Amino acid sequence: MATFRDTSQAVHFAYMIDAYPAGPVSEVARAVPAPRSRVDFGGLSAAEVRVECQRIRQSVKSTLPPLELAAIEARFSPGLDGKLAGLWKIAAHLADKLEADPTIMESIALRHYQAQPWSMRELAAKHGVSKDRILRLVKRMEREVRAIESQAFAKLQKQFESNELVEAA
């Protein structure tokens, strides 16, 4: 039986566990976000679970091209530094691709990854553009980020299946 139900869950857990200090089993047990029927560590100790998670993070970093890695790190990094590093790369890429002002895309990316709770109206006022312009850019960014993340998960899927980390698609 695979440890995780899918690649997204494996990556999410591997990054999330990094936010918790190594310690008693209870710390790891509290971090598990799903019922046992969805995550099965097959009797691994807390230390072995951490090693598996480190391997998953290393696979992400060694397998994915920079843009896909940035999307994964912006979404899943537990610390603000990792999240912001990925976020800035995504914003710069999308500013070029969508021919948008880089500072607007940075603000939209901060909002998208929940680093700032700005409303569409606040973003429009901050950048001196219409709320409709912000809304169009937000929708395009969401579509683009989903596509980038999907490409990343697809690249990781086969590798994770062969290591029996995730169930076959």
Side-chain angles (χ1 to χ4, degrees):
M1 179 175 171
T3 305
F4 299 97
R5 73 174 184 268
D6 60 37
T7 302
S8 175
Q9 184 190 42
V11 171
H12 177 258
F13 188 86
Y15 276 84
M16 182 187 65
I17 200 73
D18 203 32
Y20 293 89
V25 175
S26 60
E27 286 290 328
V28 173
R30 279 196 292 261
V32 177
R36 291 196 188 281
S37 63
R38 292 189 172 169
V39 178
D40 179 14
F41 291 113
L44 295 178
S45 71
E48 291 167 327
V49 169
R50 286 189 167 279
V51 169
E52 273 304 305
C53 289
Q54 175 59 34
R55 278 188 230 172
I56 291 170
R57 290 190 307 273
Q58 190 56 45
S59 290
V60 168
K61 291 174 182 173
S62 65
T63 302
L64 298 178
L67 183 62
E68 292 169 13
L69 176 60
I72 295 300
E73 292 196 333
R75 180 172 171 191
F76 294 112
S77 286
L80 193 55
D81 290 344
K83 190 171 284 298
L84 288 176
L87 185 149
W88 299 139
K89 288 177 187 169
I90 293 292
H93 167 77
L94 292 176
D96 286 344
K97 183 172 183 168
L98 304 178
E99 297 178 359
D101 181 328
T103 59
I104 293 175
M105 292 311 296
E106 287 173 1
S107 294
I108 290 172
L110 282 165
R111 180 184 182 277
H112 177 80
Y113 290 106
Q114 301 173 353
Q116 287 292 337
W118 293 315
S119 70
M120 304 284 185
R121 186 169 280 124
E122 289 170 324
L123 284 174
K126 175 180 165 74
H127 294 287
V129 297
S130 73
K131 190 175 97 179
D132 288 341
R133 171 83 173 133
I134 295 292
L135 182 59
R136 283 192 302 274
L137 287 171
V138 165
K139 286 182 177 182
R140 289 188 67 193
M141 173 178 240
E142 288 171 353
R143 229 180 1 257
E144 292 290 330
V145 168
R146 269 194 311 273
I148 294 166
E149 288 176 357
S150 292
Q151 290 170 346
F153 291 138
K155 286 179 181 161
L156 295 168
Q157 180 70 28
K158 292 256 189 255
Q159 180 181 1
F160 287 6
E161 282 177 14
S162 68
N163 293 331
E164 296 182 0
L165 284 171
V166 300
E167 297 170 0

